Amino acid sequence: MKGNCIIAQSGGPTAVINSSIAGAIHECLKHKEIKGIYGAINGILGVLSENIVDLRKEKPAEIDKLRKTPSSALGSCRHKLKEEDLDKILSVFRKYNVRYFFCAGGNDSMDTANKVSKLAQKEGYELRVMGIPKTVDNDLPVTDHCPGYGSVARWLAISVRDAGLDTEAIYTSDTVKIIETMGRNAGWITASTALAKEREDDAPNLIYLPERPFDNEKFLQDVDRVYKKLGHVLITVCEGLKNKEGEYLTASRRSVDTDGFGHKQLGGVGDYLCDLIAANLKIKARFDKPGTIQRVSSVCASRTDLNEAYLVGKVAVRKAVSGMTDMMVTLVRAEGKEYRCFTGVTQLENIANKEKKVPDNFINADGNFVTEEFLNYVKPLIGSPLPEYARLRKYSVRL
Amino acid sequence: MKGNCIIAQSGGPTAVINSSIAGAIHECLKHKEIKGIYGAINGILGVLSENIVDLRKEKPAEIDKLRKTPSSALGSCRHKLKEEDLDKILSVFRKYNVRYFFCAGGNDSMDTANKVSKLAQKEGYELRVMGIPKTVDNDLPVTDHCPGYGSVARWLAISVRDAGLDTEAIYTSDTVKIIETMGRNAGWITASTALAKEREDDAPNLIYLPERPFDNEKFLQDVDRVYKKLGHVLITVCEGLKNKEGEYLTASRRSVDTDGFGHKQLGGVGDYLCDLIAANLKIKARFDKPGTIQRVSSVCASRTDLNEAYLVGKVAVRKAVSGMTDMMVTLVRAEGKEYRCFTGVTQLENIANKEKKVPDNFINADGNFVTEEFLNYVKPLIGSPLPEYARLRKYSVRL
């Protein structure tokens, strides 16, 4: 089918979503069916407002550079579709003769893509819609993992290891350190901090995921036990921790912080837990909250993640040109010891508005760390090995 | 003078303080006057408790690796000396025949080193004491800059640039982002975030340093102006901002968070300002607080900083062997356009317990950004250029 294509980026930026866009553009350039290669500025909002750019006019060198440029070069949005938006989108697609729609995003974005496609089918407008997976949260179902996740995992593995050496060195004043990570209701990001640990007593000492109800008493016992053993504790927690009543440990106090999908902006867990520790254990605690910095770091981008992100962008285009629609490209891990990854596809409706939590076999029985199985899952995703550090043996001088 | 030496690390860890220790050890190995090369574990606390290690027994390859290992490999401390500690330190030095004391640290550490030296002189115990400058805060007087600063500046330049692209991309939901940096009462670290900006509207849009009294009204006007122009705002602030009454914007609520020197643990400025913006401008704000992660990142360590840290470690030993004592090594920037840096020395008492603030000519008239002069000062310190990103031109499609 001949016509123009539109590429859109949606949801939270990542270190590698631009690599997916580069992959899609490079693949589009190979197919004569695809005429105009358009970009929607700020995702679906760009379609709604006809803020559309011509990507064929960009210099090839700039498109190449997208492969290592973090964040979303076309801009992104969080916008819950209204009923009337769907008609508008379709009318814009007709107006611009858009026959291919490539949407890079997470579960919300796949919902949008799916609805647009279904409306087009109902109205008999020929349109091929393909989803390109993207989310640092790694919470999309079906796909083995999501582009974007490997890079935030790498960032955290390195940063938590460095911060752990910091805590270990200066435990005389900074006794307990809490690092609050992103991830919302899924603990994948927080879990990846376990990669920082090389030896038994290394950071992180404790990890808390939102997949387990958080229990203040149990937490304080855990912290106290590690503190008594080591004299310092490094704890990683997910921003979305909830108590057993299912309430966020600390609902945000501000009134304007709900996004278009009604998701509450989370945060404050680190601060809350520092208070809890200070009040009950009378030891000093501080928290680091790297926030958005963790998800868009160019210098910690995983080589594996960058390559896979590029690949899913290319495959989305290839599949659409071959006639496929209403699918999202997935990553499929091959069996066997050595890490190899292929692509597959799944219906958009299998992804739309769904969340994949960290499964039970990836969380230890105590609910305060991950299992070896999880480490085997996550390790290949962060690419090359972490930098190697000196480990002094510290031979005592005895007089 | 023949005898043993002790090397100690003190204060907050950095990305390059171990490079200084490697420099000192490598230089010690060249001088036959220096017999035992000892390390004090956790700074002066290791001397007090005779927790002393033999660095000659470490594998040379491990010492080499220190050049790229972040944090403080010998451990650090914050410990305000008591009167009786001084006698104890000197008795340990006598017992271990320590004739050289190399102390890597900031203004508090130089105070400790100075007091030990003065007591030794009073008691007629021959001891050579040399300070090795170290502090991410860059607040030591006399020296042009401090090892450790260039690396945190590099980390922030990269991270704020990445986070700025993130804010720009998803401003539809994350409108205002505040990044809270370290630095305590000096704005050097916060100021370095200006390196992230390549173009007029790039992040950071506003920078607030503790050298200027913080004015809520003025701040809200600044934010509102940028918001109306761009639709999003990225602001970097120092943890130690104070109002015109000289009070920290948000004194920490916890009771156990004062270190050995009576310094309050700062923090919460980001959260405070988000509330201020939400309440007054009714726009959404979030904050990132990278905390200790910013100061010990190995992957963002500045090559220039690593080399200078190594150099000051070597020079401290060389000077002591040649007969010098009671001095700290300084970095002296050569005149001229091209960056070149030499070493000098200054009396420990010129450093002890003093803070160097960001001078007026480095802060703009509005008190909400830095000057070109500051950028010229800081740019060479971060080493190699920042990674180059794609900048799409975004040619509109007009039908």
Side-chain angles (χ1 to χ4, degrees):
Chain A
M1 183 178 46
K2 283 185 183 173
N4 302 319
C5 82
I6 274 199
I7 299 171
Q9 297 177 307
S10 199
T14 79
V16 305
I17 186 173
N18 287 330
S19 185
S20 287
I21 298 314
I25 296 170
H26 284 160
E27 188 66 29
C28 284
L29 290 167
K30 292 186 184 170
H31 298 277
K32 59 182 188 314
E33 295 91 330
I34 296 179
K35 306 295 175 194
I37 305 174
Y38 298 157
I41 299 300
N42 287 116
I44 208 68
L45 292 180
V47 178
L48 287 167
S49 61
E50 296 183 50
N51 191 357
I52 293 168
V53 296
D54 188 344
L55 293 169
R56 281 193 187 269
K57 289 191 177 160
E58 300 288 344
K59 290 199 181 119
E62 289 302 301
I63 303 300
D64 288 343
K65 266 194 248 167
L66 281 177
R67 295 186 68 166
K68 289 184 177 178
T69 299
S71 189
S72 303
L74 295 172
S76 187
C77 70
R78 292 190 197 280
H79 176 76
K80 188 82 179 171
L81 277 196
K82 302 185 205 80
E83 206 53 43
E84 64 266 31
D85 289 343
L86 287 170
D87 295 323
K88 172 71 184 172
I89 293 166
L90 203 55
S91 77
V92 173
F93 281 1
R94 284 184 204 271
K95 178 174 169 186
Y96 287 77
N97 191 32
V98 170
R99 297 293 177 170
Y100 297 90
F101 178 37
F102 303 111
C103 179
N107 30 31
D108 294 329
S109 317
M110 294 310 147
D111 181 46
T112 301
N114 193 40
K115 283 177 174 158
V116 170
S117 188
K118 293 302 180 297
L119 180 67
Q121 283 157 29
K122 201 176 120 192
E123 301 208 356
Y125 178 76
E126 214 176 337
L127 177 69
R128 296 192 191 146
V129 177
M130 288 295 295
I132 301 169
K134 176 278 339 174
T135 174
V136 290
D137 293 346
N138 200 41
D139 60 353
L140 302 188
V142 190
T143 186
D144 177 76
H145 58 279
C146 303
Y149 176 60
S151 294
V152 69
R154 183 175 181 82
W155 192 93
L156 280 167
I158 292 174
S159 300
V160 169
R161 195 163 64 129
D162 292 350
L165 291 178
D166 184 304
T167 304
E168 207 177 303
I170 195 135
Y171 71 90
T172 58
S173 61
D174 297 339
T175 308
V176 178
K177 188 182 294 170
I178 292 171
I179 297 179
E180 178 185 323
T181 80
M182 288 185 151
R184 191 171 293 276
N185 298 315
W188 295 102
I189 291 180
T190 322
S192 73
T193 62
L195 289 165
K197 189 195 274 289
E198 290 174 329
R199 301 180 190 188
E200 168 71 16
D201 293 336
D202 284 354
N205 308 109
L206 298 164
I207 297 177
Y208 297 93
L209 311 182
E211 280 77 4
R212 293 283 178 273
F214 189 83
D215 179 327
N216 286 2
E217 285 310 310
K218 170 70 166 57
F219 169 75
L220 289 167
Q221 283 164 21
D222 288 349
V223 175
D224 193 49
R225 190 184 61 253
V226 177
Y227 175 66
K228 282 183 175 141
K229 182 183 177 199
L230 304 178
H232 56 88
V233 193
L234 192 146
I235 306 159
T236 60
V237 298
C238 182
E239 59 179 359
L241 290 181
K242 291 176 177 175
N243 60 23
K244 64 178 191 294
E245 283 76 36
E247 296 154 345
Y248 288 117
L249 286 197
T250 162
S252 178
R253 287 157 297 138
R254 287 183 285 281
S255 52
V256 288
D257 49 5
T258 302
D259 72 11
F261 289 89
H263 300 153
K264 272 193 100 74
Q265 179 185 318
L266 304 178
V269 169
D271 204 24
Y272 172 88
L273 295 176
C274 284
D275 277 347
L276 191 70
I277 290 167
N280 291 275
L281 302 178
K282 313 291 178 203
I283 49 180
K284 193 173 159 179
R286 70 187 297 161
F287 73 96
D288 295 346
K289 177 176 173 285
T292 56
I293 293 170
Q294 70 197 281
R295 73 179 175 197
V296 283
S297 165
S298 63
V299 290
C300 289
S302 152
R303 170 58 41 203
T304 303
D305 195 21
L306 283 165
N307 288 342
E308 290 176 352
Y310 184 76
L311 177 67
V312 292
K314 283 183 85 77
V315 170
V317 173
R318 220 179 283 153
K319 295 288 182 189
V321 170
S322 76
M324 191 178 276
T325 188
D326 291 5
M327 296 282 193
M328 185 190 80
V329 179
T330 59
L331 291 167
V332 182
R333 189 186 300 230
E335 297 280 330
K337 276 200 166 176
E338 204 190 336
Y339 177 75
R340 282 174 309 143
C341 195
F342 306 100
T343 61
V345 290
T346 189
Q347 296 279 349
L348 286 175
E349 62 193 29
N350 293 336
I351 304 292
N353 295 322
K354 293 189 178 72
E355 275 183 334
K356 179 174 72 178
K357 302 294 182 71
V358 178
D360 285 346
N361 62 323
F362 284 178
I363 308 172
N364 74 352
D366 270 351
N368 59 14
F369 211 78
V370 299
T371 61
E372 199 63 31
E373 270 178 280
F374 171 73
L375 289 167
N376 293 336
Y377 164 82
V378 74
K379 202 166 185 184
L381 311 183
I382 66 164
S384 49
L386 303 186
E388 205 183 325
Y389 295 156
R391 291 273 193 173
L392 300 184
R393 298 291 296 271
K394 299 181 185 165
Y395 302 88
S396 273
V397 176
R398 302 257 175 245
L399 291 193
Chain B
M1 184 177 49
K2 284 186 182 172
N4 302 319
C5 83
I6 275 199
I7 299 170
Q9 296 176 308
S10 199
T14 80
V16 306
I17 186 173
N18 287 330
S19 185
S20 287
I21 297 314
I25 296 170
H26 284 159
E27 189 66 29
C28 282
L29 289 167
K30 291 185 183 170
H31 299 278
K32 61 182 187 316
E33 295 90 332
I34 296 179
K35 304 295 172 192
I37 305 173
Y38 299 157
I41 299 299
N42 287 116
I44 208 68
L45 291 180
V47 178
L48 286 167
S49 61
E50 297 183 48
N51 191 357
I52 295 167
V53 296
D54 188 345
L55 294 168
R56 281 194 187 268
K57 288 190 179 161
E58 299 289 345
K59 290 199 181 119
E62 288 304 300
I63 303 299
D64 288 343
K65 265 194 250 167
L66 281 178
R67 295 186 69 166
K68 289 185 176 176
T69 300
S71 189
S72 303
L74 295 172
S76 186
C77 70
R78 292 190 198 280
H79 176 75
K80 187 82 176 171
L81 277 196
K82 302 185 203 82
E83 207 53 40
E84 64 267 31
D85 290 344
L86 287 171
D87 294 324
K88 172 70 183 172
I89 292 164
L90 201 56
S91 77
V92 173
F93 281 2
R94 285 185 204 269
K95 179 174 170 186
Y96 287 79
N97 191 30
V98 171
R99 297 294 178 170
Y100 297 92
F101 178 37
F102 304 112
C103 179
N107 31 29
D108 294 329
S109 318
M110 295 310 147
D111 181 46
T112 301
N114 193 38
K115 283 178 173 157
V116 170
S117 188
K118 292 304 181 295
L119 180 66
Q121 283 157 29
K122 200 176 120 193
E123 300 208 357
Y125 179 77
E126 216 177 334
L127 177 70
R128 296 191 190 146
V129 177
M130 288 295 295
I132 301 168
K134 176 273 348 173
T135 175
V136 289
D137 293 346
N138 201 40
D139 61 352
L140 303 187
V142 191
T143 187
D144 178 77
H145 57 280
C146 304
Y149 176 60
S151 294
V152 70
R154 184 175 181 82
W155 191 93
L156 280 167
I158 293 173
S159 300
V160 169
R161 194 163 64 130
D162 292 350
L165 292 176
D166 183 304
T167 304
E168 207 178 303
I170 195 134
Y171 70 91
T172 56
S173 62
D174 297 339
T175 308
V176 178
K177 188 183 293 170
I178 292 170
I179 297 180
E180 178 185 323
T181 80
M182 288 186 152
R184 192 170 293 277
N185 299 312
W188 296 102
I189 291 181
T190 322
S192 73
T193 62
L195 290 165
K197 188 194 275 290
E198 290 174 330
R199 301 180 190 189
E200 169 70 18
D201 293 337
D202 283 355
N205 308 109
L206 298 164
I207 298 177
Y208 297 93
L209 312 181
E211 280 78 2
R212 294 284 179 272
F214 189 84
D215 179 326
N216 286 1
E217 284 311 308
K218 171 70 166 56
F219 170 76
L220 289 167
Q221 284 165 20
D222 287 349
V223 175
D224 192 49
R225 191 184 60 251
V226 178
Y227 174 67
K228 282 181 175 144
K229 182 184 175 197
L230 303 177
H232 56 89
V233 193
L234 192 146
I235 306 159
T236 59
V237 298
C238 182
E239 58 179 359
L241 290 181
K242 291 175 176 177
N243 61 23
K244 66 177 189 294
E245 283 76 35
E247 297 153 343
Y248 289 117
L249 285 196
T250 162
S252 176
R253 288 157 295 138
R254 288 183 284 282
S255 52
V256 288
D257 50 4
T258 302
D259 73 10
F261 290 87
H263 301 152
K264 271 193 100 72
Q265 180 186 316
L266 304 178
V269 169
D271 203 24
Y272 172 89
L273 295 176
C274 284
D275 278 346
L276 191 70
I277 290 167
N280 290 276
L281 301 177
K282 314 289 177 205
I283 48 182
K284 191 173 160 179
R286 70 188 296 162
F287 74 96
D288 295 347
K289 178 177 173 283
T292 57
I293 293 170
Q294 69 197 281
R295 74 179 174 196
V296 283
S297 165
S298 63
V299 290
C300 287
S302 152
R303 171 57 41 203
T304 303
D305 195 21
L306 282 166
N307 289 341
E308 291 176 352
Y310 184 76
L311 177 67
V312 293
K314 283 183 85 77
V315 170
V317 173
R318 220 179 282 153
K319 295 289 182 188
V321 170
S322 76
M324 191 178 277
T325 188
D326 291 6
M327 296 284 194
M328 186 190 81
V329 180
T330 59
L331 291 168
V332 182
R333 190 187 299 231
E335 297 279 331
K337 275 200 166 176
E338 203 191 335
Y339 177 76
R340 283 174 309 144
C341 195
F342 307 101
T343 60
V345 289
T346 189
Q347 296 279 350
L348 287 174
E349 61 193 30
N350 293 336
I351 305 292
N353 295 321
K354 293 190 177 68
E355 276 182 335
K356 179 175 72 179
K357 301 295 183 68
V358 178
D360 285 346
N361 62 322
F362 283 179
I363 307 173
N364 74 353
D366 271 351
N368 59 16
F369 211 78
V370 298
T371 61
E372 200 63 32
E373 270 177 282
F374 171 73
L375 289 168
N376 293 335
Y377 164 83
V378 74
K379 201 165 186 186
L381 310 184
I382 67 164
S384 49
L386 302 186
E388 205 183 324
Y389 295 157
R391 290 273 194 174
L392 299 184
R393 298 290 297 271
K394 298 179 185 167
Y395 302 89
S396 272
V397 176
R398 303 256 174 246
L399 290 192

